Amino acid sequence: MREKVLSALISAFDNLKSKKKLPALPVPASHQVVRPKERGYGDFASNLALAVAPSMKLKPRDIATAIVQELEGDLFFEKIEVAGPGFINFFISPDQWQKRLLDIHRAGESFGESNAGEGKRVLVEFVSANPTGPLHVGHGRGAAVGDSLARIMKAAGFDVEKEYYINDVGNQMNTLGASVYLRYQGLLGRKALFPKEYYQGDYIIDIAKKIIASRGKDFLDQPMESCLPFFVKTAVDDISAGIKKDLDDFGVSFDTWFSEKIIHDSGLVERTIEKLKQAGHIYEEDGALWFKTTAFGDEKDRVVRRSNGVLTYFAADMAYHLHKLERGYDLLVNIWGADHHGYVPRVKAAIMALGYPEDRLRVLLVQFVSLLEGGKTKSMSTRSGEFVTLREVLEEVGRDAARFVFLTRKSDSQLDFDLELAKRQGQENPVYYVQYAHARLSSILKNAEDLGLWPACLDEADPKLLGSEEDLDILKHLDAFPQVVKEGALALEPHRISYYLTELAGLFHNYYTKNRFIGEDRHLTCARLLLADTIRQVLKKALGLIGVSAPKQM
């Protein structure tokens, strides 16, 4: 409906220009047609008159009045008003909203989809946790954000791929292997000092126990240096398998698991540094190689190769992003923890120095999660020794509740995750509130089917019988769904879907308390069953976009 309003508005504006009642100037980029927050301001509002007034050197209200007069007689609108300094408020005729219900229902599961992305190739890289331990609750939020965003962008017409970058090279891997080796020695009775900077979690002991079970004392008398590669590989394989299992149980899959080893083994890191050197962005100082990131807005220059010849993590990250760009993606989306805030400018500097536009990369920062239990912050996990794992949260509240709660706030806002609330069966629990709406609608339709009413009376359903304020509120909210999906995709804000779902569920639950869906009036019953099936259809589609199930019974 917004597109129809926009089309009518622009047509009227162009007609006025062709009649020379307004100067022949284009519609500015600052023009918007939005849904007002208050009902009294209409179904949609436009700032077109305000946007063009300065260049036209006319009063905004005079421009707005001329546009309204040009639209007089258009039966699509119930009324059009000029408000305030020159806003145009559009009130759409109720019968247009009622007709829209049939369009939405006929669209089926495709409703909400669009071609806004125009098939542009997008790579969404998220989670990418180092394989040095199990996923924690913060990784879970990043996983929910990344996977949901990918689903939403696909629905909005982007060609999306999901990637997990495995940091399986460097000192951290050696530290991991050494941690397992020392635990292995300790379990077999050899006392050894365990450095505090080594990985402390019980999962390290579990890996050591598995090695003992499969290889016994094979490595007991071997020095660490000789068998470290075995312990590194065994630990990485074991932890990676656990990460993949946790993500699978969380409903998250990836198109590619990309190993950092590929970057180093292929020589891409050296090629990237050479490319930057040829472009004049690399210089040598004190025996180290530096990248002039300050030339691209970073706060200081960054080392890419230390004086001892060791490459930095940043050097590998530059090469990895070059690899992504050379694969031909139109947009790279990275989803990182909030602690990576300072890392964004240097990576964007690399993108630009390598000859690509800065906006080719967009980074979403995911804020920390505080777990609450009984109103108090949950204590650290006894399992990991350092953090609460995603696995623990899944076992506590389940996949659906976890995914939904992770999306109840914008990703860059800190989130308090109340475990007790997420398990509660009541309207204060957001995921239960939404899923219960779908289950209740499914029950209504099942009852109607048992009575021989649905879908038998679909052809009899007359939307014109749905004329109450509650009816129209729901119809308007259903119509908004494609725009919500589109804007969520373009803004990289998957939480917009959970907001939409909560509002739609609220409208339905309110409607349910005031109206009977199956009553004595067959015509009204058929109309309301059409409404019920359409709400159910949109709820299911929206839940699917954030990876949450739509149960028929609860």
Side-chain angles (χ1 to χ4, degrees):
M1 297 294 262
R2 177 185 173 278
E3 297 302 320
K4 290 184 178 180
V5 171
L6 181 61
S7 177
L9 174 66
I10 299 304
S11 178
F13 184 62
D14 289 341
N15 288 342
L16 288 169
K17 290 188 290 184
S18 67
K19 296 175 183 177
K20 301 193 177 182
K21 293 183 179 181
L22 289 177
L25 293 171
V27 175
S30 57
H31 171 235
Q32 293 180 313
V33 173
V34 299
R35 292 176 181 267
K37 293 182 179 179
E38 295 185 29
R39 189 191 302 271
Y41 294 145
D43 297 313
F44 295 95
S46 165
N47 68 340
L48 178 59
L50 293 163
V52 300
S55 56
M56 288 188 170
K57 298 180 180 179
L58 295 170
K59 293 179 180 179
R61 282 192 66 90
D62 291 344
I63 298 172
T65 299
I67 292 173
V68 170
Q69 290 173 347
E70 187 68 22
L71 287 167
E72 283 181 358
D74 189 333
L75 298 179
F76 181 75
F77 300 104
E78 186 176 36
K79 64 177 178 178
I80 310 173
E81 297 177 343
V82 177
F87 291 102
I88 305 174
N89 295 338
F90 298 90
F91 297 78
I92 296 175
S93 298
D95 67 308
Q96 298 297 323
W97 290 113
Q98 291 158 346
K99 290 177 185 176
R100 180 68 173 140
L101 179 62
L102 291 171
D103 295 335
I104 296 170
H105 190 266
R106 278 194 290 263
E109 292 187 2
S110 68
F111 182 68
E113 298 174 4
S114 70
N115 192 36
E118 300 175 332
K120 292 178 181 175
R121 294 188 65 210
V122 180
L123 182 67
V124 183
E125 183 232 317
F126 59 106
V127 184
S128 297
N130 297 338
T132 54
L135 297 179
H136 57 63
V137 66
H139 294 135
R141 188 180 189 190
V145 169
D147 186 65
S148 299
L149 178 62
R151 293 168 186 248
I152 293 164
M153 293 187 81
K154 284 181 182 178
F158 290 91
D159 180 4
V160 185
E161 292 179 40
K162 298 178 290 182
E163 185 158 287
Y164 188 115
Y165 181 53
I166 308 169
N167 297 102
D168 51 4
V169 174
N171 288 333
Q172 62 184 358
M173 293 297 104
N174 291 332
T175 301
L176 174 66
S179 301
V180 177
Y181 173 85
L182 291 179
R183 292 304 188 200
Y184 169 87
Q185 294 284 329
L187 288 170
L188 292 175
R190 294 284 174 86
K191 301 295 183 184
L193 178 67
F194 197 91
K196 62 180 181 180
E197 67 269 18
Y198 278 21
Y199 294 98
Q200 305 288 330
D202 287 348
Y203 64 93
I204 297 293
I205 297 174
D206 290 342
I207 296 171
K209 287 179 178 177
K210 292 176 184 177
I211 293 174
I212 293 172
S214 62
R215 298 292 299 268
K217 298 180 180 180
D218 288 356
F219 307 101
L220 185 59
D221 296 319
Q222 289 192 33
M224 183 190 296
E225 293 73 18
S226 65
C227 57
L228 187 60
F230 169 82
F231 280 87
V232 170
K233 184 178 186 307
T234 302
V236 169
D237 289 348
D238 187 278
I239 293 170
S240 295
I243 287 173
K244 291 179 180 180
K245 178 68 166 62
D246 287 349
L247 289 171
D248 185 58
D249 290 347
F250 197 43
V252 175
S253 61
F254 289 90
D255 298 293
T256 309
W257 294 78
F258 193 96
S259 168
E260 184 183 345
K261 286 181 180 178
I262 294 173
I263 297 295
H264 291 275
D265 294 347
S266 66
L268 184 58
V269 180
E270 296 294 343
R271 180 163 70 83
T272 303
I273 293 173
E274 185 60 31
K275 186 179 177 74
L276 291 171
K277 187 183 291 185
Q278 292 297 324
H281 301 307
I282 297 286
Y283 65 93
E284 186 173 348
E285 186 175 290
D286 298 328
L289 289 184
W290 295 73
F291 172 27
K292 291 190 288 188
T293 53
T294 50
F296 301 93
D298 196 11
E299 61 183 4
K300 63 181 181 180
D301 292 344
R302 307 291 176 175
V303 177
V304 294
R305 182 188 288 127
R306 299 186 180 92
S307 56
N308 62 3
V310 175
L311 293 166
T312 62
Y313 288 121
F314 179 45
D317 283 342
M318 290 194 305
Y320 174 47
H321 282 83
L322 177 60
H323 192 281
K324 288 183 181 182
L325 292 163
E326 290 181 343
R327 280 185 264 164
Y329 295 104
D330 300 299
L331 176 65
L332 307 180
V333 179
N334 290 357
I335 298 175
W336 293 342
D339 55 337
H340 284 70
H341 173 77
Y343 206 68
V344 177
R346 73 186 76 168
V347 176
K348 285 200 171 248
I351 296 288
M352 290 185 281
L354 290 166
Y356 296 89
E358 180 185 6
D359 61 5
R360 188 68 67 89
L361 170 68
R362 294 179 67 181
V363 179
L364 288 187
L365 296 175
V366 179
Q367 269 291 355
F368 302 108
V369 179
S370 295
L371 285 180
L372 305 178
E373 195 166 43
K376 297 180 180 179
T377 302
K378 184 176 171 63
S379 61
M380 292 301 182
S381 167
T382 56
R383 172 63 183 161
S384 67
E386 298 175 357
F387 46 74
V388 178
T389 65
L390 174 60
R391 170 61 55 187
E392 289 175 286
V393 174
L394 289 176
E395 290 174 352
E396 189 89 3
V397 304
R399 176 201 293 187
D400 287 346
R403 288 190 67 128
F404 198 99
V405 172
F406 282 137
L407 294 173
T408 51
R409 298 198 69 186
K410 192 176 178 182
S411 62
D412 61 2
S413 299
Q414 190 158 344
L415 175 69
D416 289 334
F417 192 133
D418 190 327
L419 293 166
E420 295 299 325
L421 178 62
K423 291 185 287 185
R424 205 171 295 159
Q425 296 188 354
Q427 66 179 28
E428 67 274 21
N429 178 352
V431 66
Y432 181 86
Y433 189 64
V434 173
Q435 287 183 316
Y436 186 56
H438 185 272
R440 180 176 262 178
L441 285 158
S442 298
S443 177
I444 291 168
L445 293 163
K446 179 64 168 62
N447 289 341
E449 183 181 343
D450 291 343
L451 293 169
L453 290 168
W454 189 260
C457 73
L458 174 60
D459 292 338
E460 303 173 43
D462 184 359
K464 290 181 181 178
L465 299 175
L466 305 173
S468 71
E469 188 174 287
E470 290 87 0
D471 283 313
L472 294 174
D473 283 345
I474 290 179
L475 295 177
K476 292 173 184 179
H477 201 67
L478 291 172
D479 171 73
F481 182 53
Q483 189 68 18
V484 171
V485 176
K486 173 183 173 181
E487 292 176 355
L490 296 177
L492 308 185
E493 294 183 346
H495 71 280
R496 295 192 187 202
I497 302 298
S498 62
Y499 284 18
Y500 175 87
L501 279 162
T502 302
E503 291 171 7
L504 180 57
L507 290 171
F508 164 69
H509 287 307
N510 177 61
Y511 189 94
Y512 182 84
T513 62
K514 296 180 180 180
N515 302 279
R516 292 183 63 189
F517 278 86
I518 301 175
E520 295 180 1
D521 185 333
R522 179 181 174 87
H523 296 294
L524 182 58
T525 292
C526 292
R528 285 182 175 166
L529 289 174
L530 170 64
L531 179 64
D533 196 41
T534 310
I535 299 170
R536 181 205 57 75
Q537 167 186 302
V538 175
L539 281 173
K540 182 180 179 181
K541 177 73 172 185
L543 283 166
L545 290 181
I546 58 173
V548 177
S549 68
K552 293 183 178 181
Q553 292 179 318
M554 290 181 72

